[in-house]
Amino acid sequence: MPTITNQHESARSLALCADVEAGKRNLDAFGYTVHENFIPPEQVAALRERVLEQAEMELEAGVASISASGHAGKDRHYGGRDETALPISQQVGFLPNKGAEFRALMHHPIALAYARHVFRGVPFNIVSQSALMLRNGGKRQVLHADQQAWPFATPVPVMINVTVALSDYEADMGATNVVPGSHRFPSPDLDMPHEEAAASIGSALLPMVCKAGDALVFESRTWHCQGDSVSDKLRLGIGSVYGMHMVKPQDFYPAIIHDSVYDHLSEEDKDMLGFTVHYEYGGRIGPRNAHDLRANTNCRHPYIPELRRDGSGDEAVLYENMRVAKTDVLSHPVA
Ligand SMILES: O=C(O)CCC(=O)C(=O)O
């Protein structure tokens, strides 16, 4: 197993950057970078307001994703407001369904530049976009890599997380901990204590402290975890994770985008949400009924049900001949 060399000693101070070229160098050397001033204060305020409103209303409706330890807590469940306290951890997931602000964020040019860089030009799309809220009492998460589920090491990452901070991230607020240089190693042993695991590759855990408006950028081989929160300040950020096109996405947007949202998506939005089939490979979408116009951006399939000579089956319809039923939500014309 290679060891972390002196090259990585400098990563014990944070791999900050203010421009994409420096950020790419940090990603290559350390597996992460903290990109300062990723979005301007007005955008921080607008995103923050939308997330907080959505989070509050999900609590009121009893459908909030909450936990007493963190976004990956074993006690995570859908629930509502507690009379006495706000949840220690709340995740507002599936954000592309919850506001145009979030769909705009997924096209952020700096995030896309980082994704293009780490994926070496392989086409990619967004695989999840969620807001994570953490309050006092949050517990340090298991040290992991986001491609932990892959049972083999990869020479390049298959995903990259670009988390925009909508509050400051301070160490005692549970700022995400990272292990600089760990992207050069296989995923960590989940049972090994954090410090021991980091030391085993000659590195250490470092909290990614930053200001609201900065972005924490880490590729999917990099070992990381949510830290402990012992602060009365709310830690709030939105993680947009991009994956190579053939990666099965954590959030399967072609299936979960609401019809009312789908109807207003641009072709660029659909592409980013994974509606494009690259190299005639993964993610083909066939109509779910004879009126279903939800389709790939670059190929169309007819509706072909079980066909029976005795007429007991349904009828096949070419995509071009599909018409929206009066009762359907979709209203856009056939492409
Ligand atoms: O919330 C954090 O600090 C860590 C997030 C994380 O582990 C992830 O997105 O994979």
Side-chain angles (χ1 to χ4, degrees):
M1 197 184 241
T3 52
I4 297 278
T5 65
N6 285 338
Q7 184 200 355
H8 296 95
E9 285 300 315
S10 58
R12 291 177 198 278
S13 64
L14 208 55
L16 287 171
C17 72
D19 68 83
V20 175
E21 292 313 314
K24 288 180 190 173
R25 287 194 294 276
N26 286 342
L27 277 166
D28 291 346
F30 312 125
Y32 80 100
T33 192
V34 175
H35 191 112
E36 295 176 298
N37 302 314
F38 181 78
I39 57 170
E42 317 78 75
Q43 196 177 358
V44 172
L47 286 167
R48 201 181 150 92
E49 193 181 323
R50 179 76 277 273
V51 170
L52 291 177
E53 179 189 25
Q54 182 76 26
E56 208 175 292
M57 296 195 69
E58 291 188 5
L59 276 175
E60 271 170 34
V63 297
S65 174
I66 52 183
S67 154
S69 57
H71 73 279
K74 289 198 176 12
D75 65 330
R76 174 155 298 284
H77 62 284
Y78 285 106
R81 185 182 291 286
D82 176 323
E83 292 306 311
T84 53
L86 286 164
I88 289 174
S89 162
Q90 182 173 352
Q91 176 169 352
V92 186
F94 306 132
L95 289 183
N97 271 333
K98 297 177 180 172
E101 304 83 339
F102 306 128
R103 296 194 290 278
L105 183 64
M106 70 189 182
H107 297 295
H108 195 298
I110 297 175
L112 303 191
Y114 285 137
R116 273 194 294 272
H117 175 70
V118 298
F119 297 145
R120 310 286 195 268
V122 172
F124 60 89
N125 50 256
I126 198 155
V127 298
S128 77
Q129 193 189 49
S130 313
L132 298 184
M133 307 168 69
L134 188 68
R135 298 189 173 86
N136 198 338
K139 294 278 171 288
R140 189 158 77 162
Q141 181 192 10
V142 67
L143 186 64
H144 65 284
D146 283 343
Q147 60 180 72
Q148 194 88 30
W150 290 57
F152 46 82
T154 59
V156 290
V158 297
M159 292 177 283
I160 183 170
N161 184 322
V162 181
T163 290
V164 58
L166 300 180
S167 69
D168 292 350
Y169 270 46
E170 296 168 0
D172 66 356
M173 291 163 69
T176 310
N177 283 207
V178 69
V179 180
S182 53
H183 62 310
R184 298 183 193 284
F185 294 82
S187 297
D189 175 349
L190 299 179
D191 295 324
M192 203 186 264
H194 296 61
E195 279 72 19
E196 197 184 311
S200 75
I201 57 164
S203 189
L205 287 138
L206 194 67
M208 287 198 268
V209 291
C210 70
K211 294 282 173 208
D214 295 349
L216 319 176
V217 184
F218 48 99
E219 54 126 294
S220 56
R221 297 173 300 175
T222 304
W223 305 1
H224 66 281
C225 61
Q226 170 203 294
D228 286 312
S229 172
V230 291
S231 166
D232 288 332
K233 296 182 195 162
L234 168 70
R235 197 202 81 171
L236 174 59
I238 295 178
S240 299
V241 182
Y242 303 87
M244 285 185 176
H245 69 100
M246 64 287 202
V247 169
K248 186 175 177 187
Q250 185 168 37
D251 297 341
F252 190 36
Y253 292 116
I256 61 182
I257 278 292
H258 299 162
D259 287 341
S260 55
V261 173
Y262 180 80
D263 212 16
H264 295 101
L265 294 178
S266 64
E267 289 304 290
E268 197 187 16
D269 287 338
K270 287 183 199 164
D271 182 55
M272 184 51 71
L273 289 163
F275 283 87
T276 303
V277 174
H278 294 280
Y279 316 125
E280 299 186 24
Y281 186 61
R284 293 185 301 197
I285 300 171
R288 292 162 294 176
N289 57 60
H291 308 291
D292 186 12
L293 299 181
R294 185 173 293 216
N296 294 115
T297 54
N298 55 345
C299 48
R300 301 278 191 254
H301 299 281
Y303 172 66
I304 313 178
E306 182 176 347
L307 301 172
R308 294 279 180 180
R309 290 197 190 287
D310 65 7
S312 62
D314 202 351
E315 281 179 20
V317 188
L318 277 172
Y319 188 86
E320 296 72 27
N321 295 337
M322 285 184 189
R323 290 291 173 264
V324 177
K326 279 203 181 93
T327 51
D328 285 353
V329 179
L330 297 181
S331 59
H332 61 280
V334 176

